[in-house]
Amino acid sequence: MPRALMLHEEAPRCRVIDLASTDLPHRAVSVDIDYSDLNYKDALAVTGKGKIVRDYPFVPGIDFAGTVRESHHEQYAPGDRVILTGWGVGERYWGGYAETMNVDAEWLVPCPQPLSMRKAMLLGTAGLTAMLCVLRLEAAGLPAGSAVLVTGATGGVGSWAVSILHHLGYEVHAVTGKIEQHDWLERLGARQVLDRSEFEGQPRPLEKGRWIGAIDSVGGLTLANVLARMEYHGLVAAVGLAGGTDLPTTVMPFILRGVSLLGTDSVMIPFEHRRAAWHRLSALPNGLFERMAVDEIGLDRIEERAEAMLAGKVHGRVLINPKR
Ligand SMILES: NC(=O)c1ccc[n+]([C@@H]2O[C@H](COP(=O)([O-])OP(=O)(O)OC[C@H]3O[C@@H](n4cnc5c(N)ncnc54)[C@H](OP(=O)(O)O)[C@@H]3O)[C@@H](O)[C@H]2O)c1
């Protein structure tokens, strides 16, 4: 009987329970889950602080890596190593906070050989999204070795963005609200660490241009400040809303400096883009994984870590081993 974290509308919201196999959704591929992880969206779902989950009872978890147990789809066979991220899993469809889950074949990506299941979820949606941002910036013409700003730098997306950009030879400038993590961000590869407070005031329409590229997982006033401080033809990948969904800016960065705002989505991105991004991720050297901060937990600690994440008390990655 697979164990799972089940969300209920009435208290207690989070319960670790044993599921009967017959409780699992009827979908083509049954996967034994080795690892899942905790993303910002998971934290909103688990705590109920965001309107992510609408149907109860519900198994959250927007991503997982695991091994196919049984398949009714020609593309997958028992023993195949697979990754799932996005597609509304953990939002509309039961997700990865379980020992086994049944999913649609179209939601899966084969796990590239060099990646262990653990490494795949050390990256998870966060690493995939950071890589999608890098690919978006590169496709838009980000010059090699240029200065790139990363906001929300100690978060999952942010810390992978710092590591990957540094590995690829960019000069990374990291923005964080966690002063105590400055040294760690430098170890990940940040050339300079900036205090979040510098990005929280209302900016003038244009400030001194400092960066040619940026990856922003914060939104709100932070993104407005980033846009105002981009150099001529600057490129900004906007990917998150940890600081707000509004964007109090003007058209000036766009029409006077030719700045581009590049929206980046990992949830519905087509299969071939995902596979290409995972291929790039699988070539990352071990050192990047060794330097990532990891808190590995079982299903029973997810609720506590989700609260901590929304309170800004988590850095790096929270890895979930459902068998722990
Ligand atoms: N578009 C997509 O497909 C996609 C995919 C993945 C994630 N996302 C979004 O990207 C964002 C980050 O996700 P994540 O999983 O990396 O979350 P996370 O691990 O919680 O990281 C978010 C980081 O943002 C910073 N932050 C938090 N609250 C803030 C505030 N009020 N003002 C300014 N900065 C704040 C913090 O970094 P510091 O303390 O270092 O400043 C925090 O660590 C979320 O909004 C998430 O929904 C989008």
Side-chain angles (χ1 to χ4, degrees):
M1 295 223 291
R3 281 190 334 138
L5 179 75
M6 187 68 87
L7 298 183
H8 292 262
E9 215 163 4
E10 66 284 359
R13 182 175 174 81
C14 296
R15 305 174 204 175
V16 177
I17 58 151
D18 289 321
L19 283 172
S21 308
T22 47
D23 292 337
L24 293 174
H26 295 285
R27 296 191 182 276
V29 187
S30 182
V31 182
D32 286 334
I33 295 173
D34 292 301
Y35 287 99
S36 183
D37 61 18
L38 184 68
N39 300 280
Y40 192 82
K41 199 185 274 176
D42 294 317
L44 291 174
V46 166
T47 59
K49 288 182 177 155
K51 281 199 172 43
I52 307 291
V53 178
R54 289 169 199 279
D55 294 322
Y56 295 89
F58 189 80
V59 178
I62 65 167
D63 51 12
F64 64 72
T67 309
V68 173
R69 166 194 284 260
E70 195 180 344
S71 171
H72 300 284
H73 193 280
E74 58 190 11
Q75 216 175 323
Y76 293 101
D80 285 353
R81 295 167 354 107
V82 291
I83 298 170
L84 186 150
T85 65
W87 297 119
V89 172
E91 301 180 63
R92 276 173 289 147
Y93 313 112
W94 281 17
Y97 293 169
E99 289 178 329
T100 303
M101 189 49 65
N102 297 344
V103 296
D104 284 359
E106 292 72 19
W107 296 340
L108 296 169
V109 174
C111 181
Q113 203 42 251
L115 281 182
S116 65
M117 300 276 93
R118 190 171 187 278
K119 274 176 153 182
M121 277 302 111
L122 258 180
L123 290 158
T125 297
L128 173 68
T129 305
M131 180 55 86
L132 291 172
C133 290
V134 171
L135 295 174
R136 198 96 164 84
L137 293 172
E138 286 181 348
L142 183 69
S146 54
V148 182
L149 186 71
V150 176
T151 64
T154 68
V157 174
S159 54
W160 273 120
V162 170
S163 290
I164 293 169
L165 286 165
H166 172 68
H167 169 66
L168 295 175
Y170 295 100
E171 183 185 306
V172 185
H173 296 227
V175 181
T176 184
K178 299 189 188 82
I179 191 158
E180 70 282 5
Q181 298 304 338
H182 279 209
D183 289 350
W184 176 62
L185 286 171
E186 282 172 4
R187 283 201 299 282
L188 291 186
R191 167 82 60 93
Q192 191 190 10
V193 180
L194 300 146
D195 198 289
R196 185 199 286 175
S197 60
E198 287 182 42
F199 292 78
E200 287 180 334
Q202 182 65 52
R204 290 185 301 223
L206 288 175
E207 304 273 356
K208 183 172 181 297
R210 292 175 63 185
W211 299 282
I212 193 73
I215 295 178
D216 174 66
S217 56
V218 174
L221 267 175
T222 299
L223 179 54
N225 273 281
V226 171
L227 288 167
R229 293 168 201 204
M230 297 309 289
E231 286 182 7
Y232 194 74
H233 275 177
L235 304 166
V236 181
V239 74
L241 44 68
T245 53
D246 56 341
L247 181 51
T249 187
T250 72
V251 296
M252 294 310 189
F254 309 111
I255 64 173
L256 294 183
R257 287 203 184 140
V259 169
S260 295
L261 187 54
L262 308 167
T264 308
D265 165 63
S266 69
V267 178
M268 302 306 291
I269 188 132
F271 178 80
E272 283 310 326
H273 293 258
R274 286 168 196 261
R275 197 159 63 172
W278 279 110
H279 182 69
R280 285 282 296 269
L281 290 167
S282 72
L284 295 175
N286 275 333
L288 271 67
F289 294 89
E290 284 158 12
R291 283 189 284 278
M292 183 52 61
V294 191
D295 186 9
E296 186 171 330
I297 62 170
L299 296 172
D300 54 325
R301 286 193 56 218
I302 293 176
E303 186 178 15
E304 172 227 316
R305 288 288 81 197
E307 293 283 359
M309 178 175 265
L310 296 184
K313 293 187 178 136
V314 169
H315 72 284
R317 301 285 290 139
V318 178
L319 197 60
I320 294 160
N321 178 349
K323 296 183 186 73
R324 195 173 159 123

